[in-house]
C-alpha cells in the first residue's frame, strides 16, 4: 500500500508545472513591488504638490511685487506669461536629460550581482526595467506638468478645465515618449551624444530667446505678434488638442524604436544605470547630492591641471580652498544664480521691485551656504588634515572662516551692485548715493575758496572773478548743513549736523 502511494505521488510530480508556478509567483512579486513603488511615489508627489501649490503662489507674489512700486525698465519687454512656452520646452529637455542620466533601464546592485553573471538570456530581466523606466518618465513628466499648470494658474488667475485636462494628458504621454526614446538611445549606446545634443538644443533655445528679446526691444511688429500668439496658445484648448495628437504620434514612434532596441542593452549598462538611479534616490530622500554631483574620472583628470599655477604661491589651507572652488566647480551655482537674477530683473516686467530684491538676497544666502559648506567641509570636519599638513586646527578653521567671509562679501557686493544698477535698491546704497550728495556742496565751496598762488584753485582749474578779501571759512565749515546718508526716504532721513 505504501509503495503504491509513493509511486502515485511520483507519477503526479511535474517539473514543468513547478517551474511555471515559480515563474508566476516571481511575476506577481515583481508586479507587486512595482505597484508598491508607484503607490509610494504617487503619494509623495501629491503631498509635494500640496506644499508646492502655496509655495509657487507665494513666489509669484514676491517676484511680481504685488502692491509694491516697481521700476519701469526699457529692457523689460517680457511678461511672465510670455515665457510659459519657453518653460514647456525646457521641461521637455530636462525630462529627457534626466531619463538619459537614469539609464533609463537599470538594475539594482543586488539583482545585478545575482543575474548578470549567470549564463541566461537577459530579455526577461530587461522587460521589468523597461516598465519601470516608462513609469518613471510618466510620473516625472506629469509632476512637471502639474507644476507648470500651477504657475499658469497663478499668472492668469484662472485656468479652463479643458486646458488643465489636456495639459496633464500631454505631459503624461510626452513622459512615456521621452522614456521610450531614452530607452532606444540606451540600446544603441548613444547616451553621450544624446546628452550633448540636449545641451546644444538648450543653448540654441536660449540664443533664440535672446534674439527675440532684441527684436522686441526694437518693437518689430511680427515679433510682438509671434510672442502674443504663443502666449495665447498656452491657454487655448484647440492648441492643446493638436499638441496632444502630435505628442501621441511621437510616443508611438519612440515606443516602437524602444521595442526594437531595448534587447540590445548590455549588462554593464544596466548595472551603471542602477547606480545612477540609487544616487538619484538618495538625493531625493536625504537631500544629499554628492552622488549626482560627483564628477567622472575623465573630468577629474582634466580638472587636476586647473588652477595649479594660479594658487602655487598661496598658503596650504588657502590653496586647498581655492582648488576645491575651481576644480570642483562650486562657484557655478552662485554664478548661474546671479546671472538668472540679473536676466529676470532686466528683461521681465514687474520683477524690478524691492520685494523681489529681498527674496533674491534670501535665496542667495541659501545658495552661498550650500556652496561654502561643501568647499570648507574637509578643513573643519576632517581631523587627520592637521597631521598630514602639519597645521593646527585653529589655523585651518581660521582660513575657512576668512574664506567664507570673503566669498560671501564678494558675492553680496556683486548682487548689490547689479540690483543697484537696475534701480531696485538705489535708496539702500549709502556710499554711492548719500555720501556724495552730502559732501558735494562743501567740496564745491572749498574748491572755489582756496586758490593757489598761480591763480588756480586746489583742483588745478582757473577761477574767474576777483579774489575775495575774506575767505568764507564759516560757510565751508558750517555746522548748519545736514548730512544725509540716503538710507531712508527723504521724509524720514537720518540727519547729522557737522
Amino acid at each position: 500500500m505504501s509503495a503504491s502511494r509513493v509511486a502515485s505521488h511520483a507519477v503526479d510530480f511535474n517539473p514543468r508545472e513547478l517551474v511555471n508556478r515559480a515563474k508566476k509567483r516571481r511575476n506577481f512579486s515583481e508586479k507587486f513591488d512595482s505597484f508598491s513603488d508607484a503607490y509610494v511615489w504617487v503619494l509623495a508627489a501629491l503631498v509635494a504638490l500640496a506644499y508646492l501649490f502655496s509655495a509657487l503662489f507665494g513666489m509669484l507674489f514676491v517676484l511680481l511685487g504685488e502692491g509694491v512700486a516697481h521700476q519701469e525698465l526699457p529692457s523689460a519687454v517680457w511678461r511672465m506669461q510670455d515665457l510659459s512656452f519657453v518653460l514647456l520646452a525646457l521641461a521637455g529637455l530636462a525630462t529627457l536629460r534626466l531619463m538619459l542620466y537614469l539609464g533609463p533601464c537599470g538594475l539594482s546592485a543586488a539583482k545585478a550581482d545575482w543575474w548578470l553573471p549567470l549564463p541566461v538570456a537577459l530579455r526577461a530581466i530587461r522587460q521589468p526595467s523597461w516598465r519601470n523606466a516608462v513609469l518613471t518618465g510618466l510620473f516625472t513628466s506629469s509632476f512637471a506638468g502639474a507644476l507648470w499648470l500651477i504657475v499658469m494658474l497663478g499668472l492668469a488667475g484662472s485656468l479652463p478645465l479643458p486646458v488643465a485636462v489636456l495639459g496633464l494628458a500631454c505631459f503624461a504621454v510626452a513622459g512615456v515618449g521621452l522614456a521610450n526614446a531614452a530607452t532606444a538611445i540606451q540600446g544603441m549606446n548613444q547616451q553621450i551624444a544624446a546628452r550633448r545634443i540636449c545641451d546644444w538644443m538648450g543653448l540654441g533655445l536660449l540664443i533664440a530667446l535672446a534674439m527675440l528679446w532684441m527684436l522686441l526691444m526694437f518693437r518689430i511688429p511680427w515679433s510682438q505678434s509671434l510672442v502674443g500668439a504663443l502666449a495665447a496658445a498656452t491657454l487655448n484648448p484647440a492648441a492643446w488638442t493638436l499638441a496632444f495628437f502630435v505628442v501621441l504620434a511621437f510616443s508611438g514612434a519612440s515606443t516602437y524604436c524602444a521595442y526594437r532596441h531595448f534587447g540590445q542593452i548590455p549588462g554593464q549598462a544596466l548595472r551603471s544605470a542602477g547606480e545612477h538611479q540609487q544616487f538619484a534616490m538618495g538625493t531625493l530622500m536625504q537631500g544629499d547630492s554628492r552622488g549626482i554631483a560627483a564628477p567622472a574620472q575623465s573630468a577629474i583628470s582634466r580638472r587636476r591641471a586647473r588652477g595649479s599655477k594660479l594658487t602655487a604661491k598661496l598658503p596650504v589651507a588657502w590653496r586647498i580652498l581655492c582648488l576645491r572652488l575651481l576644480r570642483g566647480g562650486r562657484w557655478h551655482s552662485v554664478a548661474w544664480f546671479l546671472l538668472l537674477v540679473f536676466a529676470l530683473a532686466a528683461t521681465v516686467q514687474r520683477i524690478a521691485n524691492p520685494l523681489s530684491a529681498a527674496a533674491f538676497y534670501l535665496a542667495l544666502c541659501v545658495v552661498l551656504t550650500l556652496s561654502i559648506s561643501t568647499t570648507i567641509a574637509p578643513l573643519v570636519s576632517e581631523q587627520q588634515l592637521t597631521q598630514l599638513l602639519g597645521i593646527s586646527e585653529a589655523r585651518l578653521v581660521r582660513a575657512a572662516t576668512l574664506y567664507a567671509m570673503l566669498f560671501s562679501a564678494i558675492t553680496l557686493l556683486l548682487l548689490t551692485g547689479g540690483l543697484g544698477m537696475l534701480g531696485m535698491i538705489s535708496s539702500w546704497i549709502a556710499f554711492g548715493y548719500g555720501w556724495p550728495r552730502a559732501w558735494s556742496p562743501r567740496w564745491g565751496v572749498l574748491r572755489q575758496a582756496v586758490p593757489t598762488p598761480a591763480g588756480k584753485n586746489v583742483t588745478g582749474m582757473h577761477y574767474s572773478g576777483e579774489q575775495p578779501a575774506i575767505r568764507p571759512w564759516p560757510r565751508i565749515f558750517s555746522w548748519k548743513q545736514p548730512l544725509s546718508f540716503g538710507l531712508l526716504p527723504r521724509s524720514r532721513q537720518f540727519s547729522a549736523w557737522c
Side-chain angles (χ1 to χ4, degrees):
M1 294 293 292
S2 60
S4 62
R5 287 180 181 177
V6 172
S8 63
H9 283 295
V11 171
D12 294 339
F13 177 74
N14 188 1
R16 186 180 300 275
E17 182 180 355
L18 181 62
V19 172
N20 292 334
R21 189 181 299 113
K23 185 184 294 185
K24 289 180 181 179
R25 289 178 179 176
R26 188 190 66 185
N27 293 338
F28 175 77
S29 177
E30 291 179 353
K31 291 179 181 178
F32 181 77
D33 291 342
S34 300
F35 171 77
S36 60
D37 293 341
Y39 174 77
V40 170
W41 282 110
V42 168
L43 186 61
L46 292 178
V47 173
L49 284 176
Y51 283 99
L52 288 175
F53 186 85
S54 57
L56 289 175
F57 268 78
M59 183 189 69
L60 293 176
F61 179 85
V62 171
L63 286 179
L64 297 179
E66 298 293 342
V68 178
H70 55 275
Q71 296 289 333
E72 296 290 344
L73 300 177
S75 59
V77 296
W78 294 107
R79 295 182 306 164
M80 288 289 289
Q81 192 173 350
D82 296 338
L83 300 176
S84 57
F85 186 79
V86 180
L87 293 178
L88 283 176
L90 291 178
L93 288 176
T95 303
L96 180 58
R97 194 71 166 75
L98 178 63
M99 290 293 105
L100 291 174
Y101 172 79
L102 295 177
C105 298
L107 290 177
S108 62
K111 290 183 179 180
D113 294 338
W114 174 258
W115 289 106
L116 294 182
L118 298 178
V120 295
L122 296 179
R123 185 176 182 85
I125 302 174
R126 295 190 186 100
Q127 285 181 349
S129 62
W130 183 22
R131 181 174 60 248
N132 293 335
V134 172
L135 291 176
T136 302
L138 173 65
F139 293 147
T140 302
S141 184
S142 300
F143 186 78
L147 292 180
W148 185 84
L149 290 175
I150 291 173
V151 172
M152 292 302 299
L153 178 61
L155 293 176
S158 62
L159 195 65
L161 183 60
V163 172
V165 175
L166 289 172
L168 283 178
C170 285
F171 276 100
V173 176
V176 174
L178 292 174
N180 288 324
T183 302
I185 293 171
Q186 186 183 15
M188 294 184 288
N189 196 19
Q190 297 293 328
Q191 293 100 320
I192 298 177
R195 293 193 197 104
R196 191 177 297 115
I197 292 174
C198 288
D199 296 340
W200 289 346
M201 291 177 64
L203 181 60
L205 181 63
L206 294 179
I207 292 175
L209 187 65
M211 294 178 63
L212 189 58
W213 171 74
M214 294 181 63
L215 293 175
L216 291 175
M217 281 281 294
F218 290 102
R219 300 182 182 277
I220 306 299
W222 66 266
S223 63
Q224 295 178 348
S225 60
L226 176 62
V227 171
L230 291 177
T234 55
L235 297 177
N236 189 1
W240 279 106
T241 303
L242 178 61
F244 176 77
F245 286 108
V246 172
V247 171
L248 187 63
F250 165 73
S251 180
S254 63
T255 303
Y256 175 73
C257 293
Y259 179 76
R260 289 188 56 187
H261 293 95
F262 92 100
Q264 304 174 4
I265 302 176
Q268 186 60 32
L270 292 174
R271 183 190 296 271
S272 177
E275 293 177 357
H276 289 178
Q277 293 174 10
Q278 184 179 3
F279 290 152
M281 190 77 65
T283 301
L284 289 177
M285 293 297 183
Q286 302 176 3
D288 188 2
S289 61
R290 287 179 293 179
I292 292 181
Q297 188 64 33
S298 59
I300 292 176
S301 61
R302 289 195 305 268
R303 292 176 180 177
R304 281 177 180 172
R306 188 182 305 170
S308 299
K309 296 181 179 179
L310 185 62
T311 60
K313 296 183 179 180
L314 293 177
V316 178
W318 281 94
R319 189 178 185 186
I320 293 174
L321 293 171
C322 293
L323 289 179
R324 285 180 61 82
L325 179 68
L326 296 176
R327 295 178 180 178
R330 292 173 175 85
W331 58 275
H332 292 170
S333 58
V334 178
W336 281 112
F337 177 79
L338 292 177
L339 183 61
L340 177 63
V341 165
F342 296 152
L344 286 177
T347 60
V348 182
Q349 298 176 3
R350 301 181 62 185
I351 298 294
N353 61 81
L355 194 59
S356 62
F360 292 152
Y361 275 102
L362 291 177
L364 181 62
C365 291
V366 176
V367 176
L368 276 177
T369 302
L370 297 177
S371 177
I372 293 175
S373 62
T374 55
T375 305
I376 67 175
L379 270 70
V380 298
S381 61
E382 297 183 6
Q383 303 294 333
Q384 59 270 25
L385 277 180
T386 58
Q387 301 176 359
L388 295 176
L389 301 177
I391 303 175
S392 63
E393 183 180 357
R395 291 182 60 185
L396 293 179
V397 173
R398 188 184 305 115
T401 305
L402 290 177
Y403 165 81
M405 295 174 61
L406 183 62
F407 189 74
S408 301
I410 293 175
T411 307
L412 291 173
L413 183 62
L414 290 175
L415 180 62
T416 304
L419 297 182
M421 292 175 62
L422 296 175
M424 297 175 63
I425 54 172
S426 59
S427 61
W428 296 359
I429 307 176
F431 291 98
Y433 181 72
W435 285 99
R437 187 182 64 179
W439 284 102
S440 56
R442 294 172 176 78
W443 176 246
V445 175
L446 181 63
R447 183 182 59 186
Q448 297 295 332
V450 186
T452 60
K456 298 181 181 180
N457 52 25
V458 292
T459 61
M461 301 296 294
H462 288 278
Y463 63 94
S464 60
E466 184 178 358
Q467 179 179 354
I470 301 176
R471 304 290 187 264
W473 301 117
R475 182 184 173 193
I476 297 173
F477 298 102
S478 173
W479 297 88
K480 303 297 184 180
Q481 298 288 336
L483 178 62
S484 174
F485 293 89
L487 294 172
L488 299 173
R490 186 176 295 272
S491 60
R492 299 177 55 191
Q493 283 181 348
F494 173 78
S495 298
W497 300 93
C498 299

